[in-house]
Amino acid sequence: MSVQKVKVKEPLLRMAKRDTMSNQKSWTVRGIAFLLSLITGGLVILALGHNPIAVYKSMVVGAWGSPTVIRETVKIAVPLLITAIGISFAFKMKFWNIGGEGQIIVGAVAAGYFGLFTAHILPKLPLVILMLLAGMLAGGLYGLLPALCKAKWGTNETLFTLMLNYIALAFVKYLMNGPWKAPGSSFPKIAMLAPGARLTKVFGVHWGWILALVLVVVSSVYLSKTKQGYEIAVVGESNNTARYAGINVSKVFIRTMFISGALCGLVGMLQFSGADYTITEGIAGGVGFTAITVAWLAKMNPYGMLVVSVFIAMLERGSNAIQTQFKIPASASELLIGIILFFMLGCEFFISYRLIVRGKEETHA
């Protein structure tokens, strides 16, 4: 029997998944990437006329130098961590939930309804529980919508969840200018939450940080030790393989996206009742997008997300400090953060993939 030879023209450049890299080598690569990011950022600082070592030292001190700034750093890390955990649930099954911002906003609005209009009726504990449940339910249902559409009609979840962010933002603007506008205010704003309805502080920060640590453990166990976590992993590997194994892929999409959205909605409730005490257009504060970076850098590992979220919170808090101390523009301090994260993300991409240069034809029998 004759064998037909087929010539396949491969592209000059292509990306391929890298074989498993040893821990020692991968951490060496991460260390080099971090060092290069500091050097590159240092050149920017020099161009601004400042001493890079002094600026970097000020960033660290500005994030950890006193109990007050430590509390501020933790307040930044908490929403990042919980949102990253929520997003990772969807990402692990290759469902690209870019709607964390919108889910945070609707969670805040749902919690705000009860917090603003029933605080004078309900005792604090039932009110807080009601706000928590309302925020999670609203965020979960908002995340459920793109999952239902993908399961039924195969819609693109990336665009769907992204567009839902703008709908949620527009709704907040409507509330600020309309039915929820603070009485007597000439500016479009929503009233402040009554002091008696605000979350209790533990060591100077609302108790959301304790809940975040609990969620790290619970989510790790859920994803690695339970049947539902196994189903998420299988669906993430291949929808067809999951179906062949008897897994209802649509059901996994719907269930997991509800959890993902509910955790983001929980963040909205915590931001409203524990940090901002009102609802504005900036209630999400870009957390939904930054959390994607946190989840990616941590490779969807909840314990890794804890470390990365604290690291990014340190950078954000530290950037505020250098703006004050060195009069560095906000845009320049944000650029420093961007440089560091760019190198770290590039490092993780390098560890996972390799560039293949091949301009020749290969013959396959």
Side-chain angles (χ1 to χ4, degrees), residues 131-176:
M131 286 193 293
L132 188 147
L133 294 176
M136 294 186 70
L137 180 61
L141 292 175
Y142 213 58
L144 194 63
L145 182 58
L148 286 170
C149 291
K150 183 177 178 67
K152 188 171 180 63
W153 297 296
T155 55
N156 185 303
E157 73 275 9
T158 303
L159 294 176
F160 204 135
T161 54
L162 184 62
M163 289 188 294
L164 287 176
N165 291 335
Y166 298 102
I167 294 174
L169 184 60
F171 186 61
V172 168
K173 291 180 179 179
Y174 161 72
L175 293 177
M176 292 172 62

Side-chain angles (χ1 to χ4, degrees), residues 105 169 172 176 189-190 276 278-284:
I105 290 172
L169 184 60
V172 168
M176 292 172 62
K189 68 175 184 177
I190 294 174
D276 295 351
T278 187
I279 302 172
T280 66
E281 299 172 43
I283 186 71

Side-chain angles (χ1 to χ4, degrees), residues 27 81 84-85 88 212-225 294-295 297-311:
W27 282 107
L81 175 57
I85 292 173
S88 71
L213 295 178
V214 171
L215 284 172
V216 169
V217 178
V218 171
S219 61
S220 179
V221 172
Y222 180 85
L223 291 170
S224 61
K225 303 294 184 182
V294 174
L297 283 175
K299 295 188 174 181
M300 314 304 162
N301 183 301
Y303 294 102
M305 291 179 221
L306 173 59
V307 175
V308 176
S309 59
V310 171
F311 175 70

Side-chain angles (χ1 to χ4, degrees), residues 5 23 74 79 233 242 259 294 317 346:
K5 292 186 176 181
N23 284 334
V74 173
I259 296 173
V294 174
R317 179 59 197 162

